[in-house]
């Protein structure tokens, strides 16, 4: 019965999106192909969230949820869906150990610090050859973004703004790290 409701809702979403052009047309194709796999991996509310996020044109999106609400699962599903749409999603974590654990589960991830260093090196190399770094197809999905230091957060947002990339921040706005003075999320 729940699967039927999900299927009806997805069908309704699909038909509502059919009339859109450009990016939304790509989303429709991806959603149609991905629905059965997503139904197995996500709850109906998570699935609705993925669909809504995929329709956003915003360059900075924050998803707030309490610990254990499924933000990490959502992050991993977003990676798969964005790849299917031709984007270059990068799953980032505040700490290298967390990135290593996610990578061990079969999803490529890296720490925010390693990603920033990598892009700085890429930028220097390309600049030396009179070329520009293009991250406009990049989507940075930051799991546990509430744990970012203010320095990491600022560097990531500067990179995003400089190269017209997108960022999706998965945060727990109630975590102690989010509420402490000087935290990246509180500053944001």
């Amino acid at each position: 019965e729940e699967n039927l409701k999900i299927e009806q809702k997805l069908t309704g979403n699909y038909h509502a999106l059919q009339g859109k052009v450009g990016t939304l047309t790509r989303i429709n194709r991806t959603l149609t192909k991905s629905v059965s796999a997503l139904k197995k991996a996500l709850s109906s509310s998570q699935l609705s969230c993925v669909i809504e996020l995929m329709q956003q044109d915003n360059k900075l999106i924050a998803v707030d949820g309490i610990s254990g609400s499924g933000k990490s699962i959502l992050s991993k599903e977003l990676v798969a869906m964005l790849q299917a749409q031709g984007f270059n999603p990068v799953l980032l974590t505040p700490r290298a150990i967390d990135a290593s654990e996610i990578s061990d589960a079969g999803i490529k991830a890296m720490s925010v610090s390693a990603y920033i260093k990598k892009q700085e090196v890429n930028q220097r190399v390309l600049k030396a050859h009179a070329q520009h770094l293009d991250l406009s197809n990049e989507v940075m999905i930051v799991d546990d973004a509430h744990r970012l230091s203010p320095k990491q957060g600022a560097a990531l947002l500067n990179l995003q703004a400089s190269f017209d990339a997108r960022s999706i921040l998965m945060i727990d706005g109630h975590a102690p790290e989010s509420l402490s003075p000087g935290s990246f999320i509180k500053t944001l």
Side-chain angles (χ1 to χ4, degrees), residues 168-180:
I168 301 174
L169 306 177
M170 301 295 187
I171 63 172
D172 180 349
H174 301 288
E177 299 97 324
S178 300
L179 303 172
S180 65

Side-chain angles (χ1 to χ4, degrees), residues 3 15 22 69 72 74 80 88 121-122 135 178 185:
N3 283 346
H15 291 297
S69 62
S72 296
L74 193 63
N88 183 25
V121 169
N122 288 344
L135 297 179
S178 300
I185 296 302

Side-chain angles (χ1 to χ4, degrees), residues 62-80:
V63 176
D64 187 6
I66 62 170
S67 181
S69 62
K71 296 179 303 293
S72 296
I73 293 168
L74 193 63
S75 298
K76 294 169 188 174
E77 294 300 326
L78 278 170
V79 167

Side-chain angles (χ1 to χ4, degrees), residues 57-125:
D57 286 331
N58 299 330
K59 295 293 181 180
L60 178 62
I61 299 169
V63 176
D64 187 6
I66 62 170
S67 181
S69 62
K71 296 179 303 293
S72 296
I73 293 168
L74 193 63
S75 298
K76 294 169 188 174
E77 294 300 326
L78 278 170
V79 167
M81 288 191 72
L82 288 164
Q83 284 173 333
Q85 287 188 25
F87 287 99
N88 183 25
V90 182
L91 185 55
L92 304 172
T93 63
R95 303 180 314 169
I97 188 75
D98 298 329
S100 177
E101 289 173 7
I102 292 171
S103 293
D104 287 347
I107 296 174
K108 184 181 172 191
M110 65 176 37
S111 72
V112 169
S113 297
Y115 178 77
I116 291 168
K117 286 177 188 172
K118 176 185 169 188
Q119 297 309 344
E120 288 171 349
V121 169
N122 288 344
Q123 189 175 6
R124 281 194 300 269
V125 169

Side-chain angles (χ1 to χ4, degrees), residues 6-185:
I6 292 170
E7 195 168 295
Q8 288 171 341
K9 185 173 183 177
L10 288 173
T11 302
N13 286 342
Y14 176 79
H15 291 297
L17 291 173
Q18 258 184 332
K20 304 289 182 176
V21 293
T23 304
L24 292 180
T25 301
R26 247 189 351 222
I27 291 169
N28 284 338
R29 287 188 209 124
T30 302
L31 289 176
T32 302
K33 292 176 185 176
S34 304
V35 166
S36 62
L38 285 174
K39 278 200 261 183
K40 294 175 188 170
L42 300 175
S43 70
S44 60
S45 61
Q46 288 171 319
L47 184 57
S48 294
C49 187
V50 168
I51 291 168
E52 186 174 330
L53 286 173
M54 299 301 290
Q55 296 171 6
Q56 295 290 320
D57 286 331
N58 299 330
K59 295 293 181 180
L60 178 62
I61 299 169
V63 176
D64 187 6
I66 62 170
S67 181
S69 62
K71 296 179 303 293
S72 296
I73 293 168
L74 193 63
S75 298
K76 294 169 188 174
E77 294 300 326
L78 278 170
V79 167
M81 288 191 72
L82 288 164
Q83 284 173 333
Q85 287 188 25
F87 287 99
N88 183 25
V90 182
L91 185 55
L92 304 172
T93 63
R95 303 180 314 169
I97 188 75
D98 298 329
S100 177
E101 289 173 7
I102 292 171
S103 293
D104 287 347
I107 296 174
K108 184 181 172 191
M110 65 176 37
S111 72
V112 169
S113 297
Y115 178 77
I116 291 168
K117 286 177 188 172
K118 176 185 169 188
Q119 297 309 344
E120 288 171 349
V121 169
N122 288 344
Q123 189 175 6
R124 281 194 300 269
V125 169
L126 290 171
K127 190 175 183 179
H129 293 90
Q131 296 177 341
H132 299 284
L133 184 61
D134 181 13
L135 297 179
S136 60
N137 203 36
E138 196 111 327
V139 181
M140 297 174 271
I141 302 169
V142 187
D143 197 25
D144 289 335
H146 58 279
R147 292 187 175 156
L148 290 174
S149 71
K151 184 178 176 181
Q152 284 177 315
L156 190 67
L157 292 180
N158 284 336
L159 187 66
Q160 175 218 346
S162 297
F163 298 102
D164 201 31
R166 290 178 154 195
S167 295
I168 301 174
L169 306 177
M170 301 295 187
I171 63 172
D172 180 349
H174 301 288
E177 299 97 324
S178 300
L179 303 172
S180 65
S183 76
F184 166 64
I185 296 302

